[in-house]
Amino acid sequence: MAAPTSLRDIPQSHIFRKGDVFVLFGELFGRGYANGLVNEARAAGMTIVGMTVGRRDENQKLRPLTAEEHAEAEANLGGKIINVPLMAGFDLDAPEGEPTPTDLLAPLTLKSWQDDKLDWAQIERCRAVGVQRFKDSAARAMAELDGLVPDGSNVFFAHTMAGGIPKVKVFLAIANRIYKGRGERFMSSRALLDSDLGKLILMNFDEVTANTFQYLIDASAAIRGRVEATGGQARYTAYGYHGTEILIDGRYQWQTYTNYTQGYAKKRLEDVAKAAWEKGIKATVFNCPEIRTNSSDIFVGVELSLFPLLNALKHENGGAWADVQRQACADLLKDGVSLQDLLDQIESYNADGVITEFRDFDRWPMDNSPELAEVMIGTSEAITNLHKERTALVTDLLSALVLEGTGPLMFREAANPAGPVLWLNHDVIARQLNQLHN
Ligand SMILES: NC(=O)c1ccc[n+]([C@@H]2O[C@H](COP(=O)([O-])OP(=O)(O)OC[C@H]3O[C@@H](n4cnc5c(N)ncnc54)[C@H](O)[C@@H]3O)[C@@H](O)[C@H]2O)c1
């Protein structure tokens, strides 16, 4: 049986310093995972360079950032942003004058989508255009980056791209049902995957979430070769997701959010890192825990695995600081609701037979089921209702902590990585946080 390869010890290596360059391949959002790495790079005194996905004009044509947008993005990152649009995926690409995949999806309705067929020859033409556009843009961006990387310096490429949901009304309605629906509103993720619409979406996920890591590795070959020839080193990291070990019943156990439709693309991302590694390129996918960000908020229930982090902080010898976190979480709950009751509720959720059935590493990513939706979405709603405010949740606080813990773990491990695919579970994250704060 395959098993996760987990980082168990806090890494001690450190090679990045002032004069070295940190490159963020993707945009930086307030709650996004990438903040953890950017903070480490800044603290190490590295030169920070970012990319943009660009923006779309009123005709959906991709354009660079305006001067104002560019200045705002650079202030947000605290570094230079190379203004070449790196929007991945092909949902809005097509040969000149021909329909894009988004155009092909326009006639689909909530009634018809499961039987609607797509023109795969046309989709393949669009995919080819989108891939070439991205590769050409990545080459231009790397040519600009080249001038910012001194000979002999170390370069850290941090890939953060994930996504690829086409912006069509019908899919927003379907996604709302698959990820948020229970009872009469439940929708099967298998029905989506078996449809032409689902097949197209998976192809687009592959492009955005996985293939861009390969394109980055390829496009930066010249920079990698030059720094290595002059005494420096190049490293590549990407954020994966493939379930997480959390404390359940007193021991760390692997669990996952279901249905994680992007899971196929995340497996492909792991394969990209493995293939690069075999060629001697130090590329590592760090499979990270579930947190709440702009990208994950659509998955109702994904946040439930965060609560046991409070137990992990204690379990890993957390001191006064861990107690303060626990109290800060307790303060977010309604009067009369105890944090222990909430944690007990999560413990019984994790012991529920409907949920344990999905703890099957070999069959990941599994399809959802009406029973799962009932228990998971029901628990998520019940727990949210225990808070004073829906806008200040325990999982906001815990997400920020996980993000903070992953920063130094990934930054240090990337200096001397143990392999191409590593899991960061609640054990090592809790230990890292306790070490940072005690
Ligand atoms: N949130 C989680 O629970 C979780 C767990 C494990 C791994 N991750 C991974 O962490 C990474 C960062 O995600 P996050 O959750 O911090 O959210 P985020 O929204 O902050 O980041 C998403 C990133 O994807 C980029 N992106 C989105 N669509 C794109 C497109 N079409 N082309 C190019 N780039 C595009 C954005 O610019 C941004 O950099 C992703 O790879 C995500 O899968 C997230």
Side-chain angles (χ1 to χ4, degrees):
M1 188 189 89
T5 42
S6 302
L7 187 75
R8 294 295 178 201
D9 300 312
I10 297 174
Q12 304 298 331
S13 306
H14 200 19
I15 61 167
F16 300 102
R17 55 184 188 271
K18 198 170 165 53
D20 291 341
V21 184
F22 176 87
V23 183
L24 184 65
F25 204 66
E27 294 195 356
L28 186 66
F29 299 129
R31 300 181 294 164
Y33 253 128
N35 288 285
L37 275 178
V38 171
N39 291 343
E40 292 304 308
R42 190 175 298 123
M46 295 175 80
T47 304
I48 296 174
V49 181
M51 301 289 160
T52 177
V53 300
R55 298 291 177 266
R56 295 207 180 265
D57 67 17
E58 56 286 359
N59 301 317
Q60 300 292 355
K61 209 170 141 7
L62 199 55
R63 62 160 176 84
L65 301 177
T66 62
E68 197 183 327
E69 289 164 345
H70 194 191
E72 201 179 309
E74 292 194 329
N76 177 44
L77 176 68
K80 184 182 164 59
I81 290 195
I82 295 179
N83 197 4
V84 176
L86 286 176
M87 183 76 77
F90 56 95
D91 42 310
L92 285 166
D93 286 283
E96 199 54 42
E98 296 184 18
T100 66
T102 301
D103 294 329
L104 298 184
L105 294 177
L108 271 60
T109 67
L110 210 45
K111 273 215 174 93
S112 72
W113 68 272
Q114 297 198 43
D115 301 314
D116 284 326
K117 297 293 167 216
L118 295 172
D119 177 349
W120 289 104
Q122 178 62 17
I123 286 171
E124 184 47 38
R125 288 156 60 75
C126 296
R127 198 186 65 83
V129 169
V131 168
Q132 198 55 50
R133 171 186 56 74
F134 189 90
K135 286 183 174 176
D136 290 347
S137 303
R140 274 172 54 214
M142 290 302 140
E144 265 194 54
L145 175 67
D146 192 46
L148 303 171
V149 179
D151 280 350
S153 63
N154 300 312
V155 197
F156 189 126
F157 291 98
H159 177 280
T160 168
M161 293 178 176
I165 293 182
K167 287 184 187 55
V168 284
K169 248 198 186 143
V170 69
F171 187 68
L172 291 182
I174 296 167
N176 268 326
R177 295 206 180 175
I178 289 185
Y179 304 120
K180 299 182 183 170
R182 57 180 174 131
E184 284 192 348
R185 289 187 56 78
F186 169 80
M187 191 172 274
S188 145
S189 54
R190 176 47 48 189
L192 175 66
L193 299 187
D194 286 344
S195 70
D196 271 19
L197 169 66
K199 292 191 173 89
L200 170 62
I201 288 174
L202 289 193
M203 279 172 75
N204 211 38
F205 285 166
D206 276 351
E207 274 307 319
V208 180
T209 301
N211 296 356
T212 49
F213 196 37
Q214 183 68 58
Y215 305 148
L216 164 65
I217 291 169
D218 293 344
S220 56
I223 296 176
R224 183 171 68 244
R226 179 168 62 79
V227 295
E228 285 176 354
T230 50
Q233 304 194 42
R235 295 289 187 270
Y236 297 83
T237 65
Y239 293 92
Y241 177 70
H242 198 150
T244 309
E245 287 178 15
I246 65 170
L247 258 189
I248 299 172
D249 195 20
R251 64 192 173 90
Y252 290 102
Q253 299 188 46
W254 182 89
Q255 55 75 54
T256 177
Y257 168 78
T258 300
N259 164 265
Y260 185 61
T261 321
Q262 278 84 343
Y264 304 94
K266 286 297 188 194
K267 280 175 140 175
R268 182 191 271 266
L269 177 71
E270 293 175 4
D271 291 341
V272 169
K274 287 179 198 160
W277 193 266
E278 274 169 22
K279 290 186 188 147
I281 300 164
K282 293 267 187 291
T284 303
V285 169
F286 288 88
N287 286 329
C288 289
E290 306 78 0
I291 62 169
R292 293 190 39 241
T293 65
N294 291 3
S295 297
S296 67
D297 268 352
I298 184 173
F299 307 120
V300 175
V302 72
E303 78 288 355
L304 292 172
S305 58
L306 272 162
F307 295 98
L309 181 72
L310 285 169
N311 296 334
L313 289 173
K314 268 277 160 231
H315 192 82
E316 303 300 332
N317 302 316
W321 176 81
D323 292 337
V324 170
Q325 302 316 304
R326 216 178 163 90
Q327 189 55 48
C329 290
D331 291 345
L332 298 172
L333 303 177
K334 282 180 183 158
D335 293 341
V337 176
S338 89
L339 183 65
Q340 193 53 53
D341 285 350
L342 184 157
L343 291 171
D344 290 346
Q345 209 171 321
I346 293 288
E347 195 69 43
S348 21
Y349 165 80
N350 279 322
D352 190 318
V354 171
I355 298 302
T356 54
E357 194 193 317
F358 289 87
R359 247 175 254 151
D360 191 336
F361 187 77
D362 289 339
R363 288 172 64 206
W364 190 89
M366 289 171 73
D367 300 326
N368 66 2
S369 71
E371 297 76 24
L372 168 78
E374 198 55 42
V375 177
M376 180 174 71
I377 296 169
T379 306
S380 173
E381 286 171 3
I383 288 199
T384 301
N385 284 336
L386 300 178
H387 291 74
K388 285 181 187 140
E389 311 272 351
R390 293 182 81 88
T391 49
L393 303 177
V394 168
T395 49
D396 291 320
L397 195 152
L398 296 178
S399 295
L401 290 183
V402 169
L403 185 161
E404 185 192 348
T406 56
L409 288 172
M410 288 174 67
F411 195 71
R412 294 279 176 122
E413 180 64 18
N416 185 20
V421 185
L422 295 172
W423 270 255
L424 302 182
N425 300 306
H426 277 195
D427 58 346
V428 77
I429 288 175
R431 239 176 291 139
Q432 174 71 77
L433 285 166
N434 284 331
Q435 191 193 75
L436 285 171
H437 292 283
N438 284 329

